[in-house]
Amino acid sequence: MSNNYSAPPPRDNRSGDTGGYPEVPLPPLGQQAPPYPPQQFQPYATQPDATQPQRNNRNLIIVLAAVAAAVIVALVAVFVWVIPAFSKPQAQENPAPVATSAESASPEAAEDSAASGESPAPSADPGSDGIPAGAFPLPAGWDDLQGPANIPADDDPLYNRFVTGESSFSYLSAWSSDDTFGITKDPSTGAPMQQVAKGTEERDGDGISTAFSFFAEAEEGKYGKEPEKVQAAIKEVEAKLKATPSAELPQHLVGHKCASNFEASTPEIREFRRSAAVVVGFTCTNAGGDAIRAVNLFTVTPWGTPQMMGVSGHESYWTANPEALEKIGNSYRANRWKLDG
């Protein structure tokens, strides 16, 4: 038996009559369709396999995932092994100095640390054998000044230094900025002086820190750098402060707004590390009735710049922190050089 699936010959139906085609009976509803007479159709073309693109996509995803995993592993290896390998030797070559409180509290440690010199910035000290390029060295004659022994060591963690290009002055590291004071005036000229102050978080009735230290300077290089001229300027400041009546002296000092019972020591020049300053200690009572004790230093740096610094606080604070007033007051010293500008 042969199956003929070729198309039937065309019929002449120019009139458009469709009656010549056999009708295909519809199956009754709800019943299975009976076998239909065989129809003659053109054979279908072979259909492509629909699963082939899916396999290709799956393979591409697997390859991309493998590449991503390899990249992640490489990055982890760089951060875990390569970067530490480069950074570790650098950390070993520049160890941070560490000092204990017991070491810094001893006079021997303070002397050794201060004798090694000051840097113009806390993070830069090229050593005792050289100075930074372009810096002005300490003029002759000032290295012989040693000053008091009871000072904080340079690396004492309890103290921070406010450092200029010429000199440094310490305050307690636990203190924060204190902006309760206006611009300090130069007692010799009345010119304003830049002021930086640090104090405790605790405030008194006037809104002033219970204790604080300050630093001010003006007219850089006013007196030049010749030791004779600088020393003469310091003696002139001493003479003016000694000649100032006691009632007017508080106007030239920085304290906790003395209101009564003001008593001051006689202004006198004292020796500090590589510098000298006129020292005035005083006590008084503020408007709130609190006892105040303070010390102010007036000086001219070896490079001729007028400076003023001091420490002031409630007597109760100094009683709770013995030797703090003396240590901070004694910590002033000139640097071994000053930076240009």
Side-chain angles (χ1 to χ4, degrees), residues 278-301:
V278 182
V279 179
V280 181
F282 63 94
T283 59
C284 68
T285 303
N286 65 6
D290 299 317
I292 302 300
R293 184 154 56 103
V295 60
N296 283 192
L297 283 69
F298 302 87
T299 187
V300 177
T301 74

Side-chain angles (χ1 to χ4, degrees), residues 15-27:
S15 61
D17 186 12
T18 60
Y21 293 97
E23 293 184 1
V24 179
L26 296 176

Side-chain angles (χ1 to χ4, degrees), residues 21 77 104 111 134 138 140 160 181 190 196 221 224 257 269 276 298 320 326 334 336 341:
Y21 293 97
S104 62
E111 285 289 339
L138 185 71
N160 284 345
F181 295 97
V196 173
K257 298 184 179 180
I269 296 177
F298 302 87
E326 182 180 3
R336 290 175 290 144

